[in-house]
Amino acid sequence: MSTDSRELTRRERAAICRLVTGMCANYDPEYGCLPLDCECYMLNKWWTGADCKYFQKAVLPLDPVLEADLAGTPAVLSRKTCPVCGAVYLPVTSQAYCSEACRRKGKREADRRRQQRHRRKNRG
């Protein structure tokens, strides 16, 4: 995590709330944070800095963009835009497309262009 404390953006706060309420095993809507027996302080978080250890280790990796933003690493450089549909995604490896469907569509278009070049070359 970054040592500089800054105010969270609206998008970051919404993503944290969505992760806590949807994915955190320690959160119960009726009781709050089960281990602490109080309201989850991640839901009312306004500044970067101290996080719940469980949230940081188990829940935050589910959203790599938010994790990179909170850590202060340049995730913008690692984000890619899908050449087929234009969606922005974080590549897991050296993937060029955001999904398997886009990969198939991109391969089909590349095959079609290659075949057209081949036909033009052999025409005359």
Side-chain angles (χ1 to χ4, degrees):
M1 298 294 284
S2 177
T3 57
D4 296 334
S5 184
R6 64 170 177 78
E7 189 172 356
L8 294 172
T9 64
R10 180 181 290 194
R11 185 192 62 78
E12 290 169 341
R13 289 195 69 235
I16 288 172
C17 288
R18 191 170 42 256
L19 282 174
V20 168
T21 58
M23 303 306 281
C24 185
N26 290 336
Y27 176 76
D28 184 80
E30 189 175 330
Y31 298 107
C33 184
L34 295 175
L36 297 178
D37 198 27
C38 66
E39 185 180 351
C40 178
Y41 66 89
M42 292 301 292
L43 293 177
N44 296 321
K45 190 167 173 61
W46 287 90
W47 296 87
T48 59
D51 286 334
C52 171
K53 296 289 184 195
Y54 177 79
F55 179 82
Q56 189 176 14
K57 299 271 187 207
V59 181
L60 192 56
L62 297 174
D63 189 348
V65 175
L66 178 65
E67 184 178 27
D69 288 344
L70 294 179
T73 57
V76 174
L77 298 177
S78 63
R79 292 181 190 160
K80 284 186 167 182
T81 303
C82 180
V84 174
C85 66
V88 177
Y89 67 99
L90 281 175
V92 177
T93 58
S94 60
Q95 68 190 53
Y97 302 100
C98 67
S99 66
E100 184 65 25
C102 285
R103 186 190 68 78
R104 283 192 303 265
K105 188 172 180 182
K107 184 179 181 325
R108 183 175 180 206
E109 290 173 4
D111 289 346
R112 188 189 58 172
R113 285 191 302 270
R114 186 181 64 251
Q115 189 64 29
Q116 286 173 347
R117 283 193 309 268
H118 177 72
R119 287 181 186 141
R120 258 187 257 124
K121 181 180 169 187
N122 291 335
R123 192 182 298 170

